[in-house]
Amino acid sequence: MPETARHDVFQAIADPTRRKLLQLLSEKEMPIGALAAHFPISRTAVAKHLAILSDASLISGKKTGREKIYVLHPEPLREVKEWLDYYERFWDNKLSMLKHLVESGEEQSLKETETRKKPNH
Amino acid sequence: MPETARHDVFQAIADPTRRKLLQLLSEKEMPIGALAAHFPISRTAVAKHLAILSDASLISGKKTGREKIYVLHPEPLREVKEWLDYYERFWDNKLSMLKHLVESGEEQSLKETETRKKPNH
DNA sequence: TAATTATGAAACCTTTTGGTTTTATTTTTA
DNA sequence: TAAAAATAAAACCAAAAGGTTTCATAATTA
């Protein structure tokens, strides 16, 4: 695994082993050994999957002593979510409008809460 | 492309060419020739991508005369969305609860689905 | 300090992916 | 009906993906 090419988040989550790694790291940060114990493949193979996830900025590792603890970084998944939002309208005719309102309201609130706390009715 | 193994929706959307194919088909149903015109690769290569998308049940083709018209089937993307919903809470602390309420309500109306706590992949 | 533990790195292997070119087959249409 | 158009199918190819084993290195601990 040359690790030269930049890895895409869509490609990173395409592999079931990598999805399970993300799930494990979402429960608790762990070193590679603890992660590898959950799989039938070798620790080296897990290390390569971690490298791909790291390349997609989905995880990072901090070395403490002789261990390297891996931590989840879910932010890049937002790109996938935004891609999906476009298609959601095609399968969901019911509440898509409400949900889009909620989500656009959320973005608004993220910007607004710094400057304003009360509604401006 | 032996087409023996069943294709996963996560894997199907991993390739940028296939994502663009989905986008084109979301605008208008088209035969393979019209699709291939949007890419620098051969029509045969596009045909293989379409086979993968079809294998993931994301599209289907109906033959009319000498043309085969491809149609988008976005439903399998719901699986990706549900997987993402689990991670959304990690980047969105504000309205995730409201959104989860909206979405669980939606799922309930479509079918009686349990609220899931862990991803199933 | 010597053995153990945890990880990193390199070399290698097989299958899958994403692409090509070539050769049919089936409908239209000139 | 012969030519053109649209697609399908087969054979082939290079590179990437996913795995292995083997060897090396850095911290711990007995």
Side-chain angles (χ1 to χ4, degrees), chain A residues 10 14 23 29 40 51 54 67 78-79 91 101:
Chain A
F10 285 91
Q23 189 238 298
E29 59 184 40
S54 179
E67 287 189 334
R78 187 190 289 271
E79 180 186 354
W91 78 64
L101 278 174

Side-chain angles (χ1 to χ4, degrees), chain B residues 1-21:
Chain B
M1 199 245 35
E3 210 56 74
T4 48
R6 197 121 225 88
H7 275 105
D8 189 62
V9 63
F10 285 91
Q11 200 214 323
I13 65 171
D15 184 89
T17 298
R18 290 196 286 272
R19 288 200 298 277
K20 187 165 182 184
L21 283 170

Side-chain angles (χ1 to χ4, degrees), chain A residues 33 44 49 76 87 111 115:
Chain A
T44 306
H49 284 298
Y87 292 96
K111 293 175 192 166
T115 53

Side-chain angles (χ1 to χ4, degrees), chain B residues 17-83:
Chain B
T17 298
R18 290 196 286 272
R19 288 200 298 277
K20 187 165 182 184
L21 283 170
L22 292 179
Q23 188 237 298
L24 290 169
L25 288 176
S26 80
E27 298 172 358
K28 185 158 65 77
E29 58 184 40
M30 272 181 266
I32 184 171
L35 289 167
H38 291 82
F39 299 90
I41 62 179
S42 72
R43 196 191 53 73
T44 306
V46 172
K48 291 184 185 180
H49 284 299
L50 290 175
I52 290 172
L53 290 173
S54 179
D55 203 29
S57 303
L58 280 166
I59 63 173
S60 64
K62 51 182 176 186
K63 203 161 81 178
T64 53
R66 85 182 132 179
E67 287 187 334
K68 188 171 179 183
I69 311 288
Y70 285 92
V71 182
L72 180 69
H73 264 298
E75 293 81 15
L77 293 177
R78 185 190 289 271
E79 182 184 354
V80 182
K81 183 195 163 29
E82 285 168 5
W83 181 82

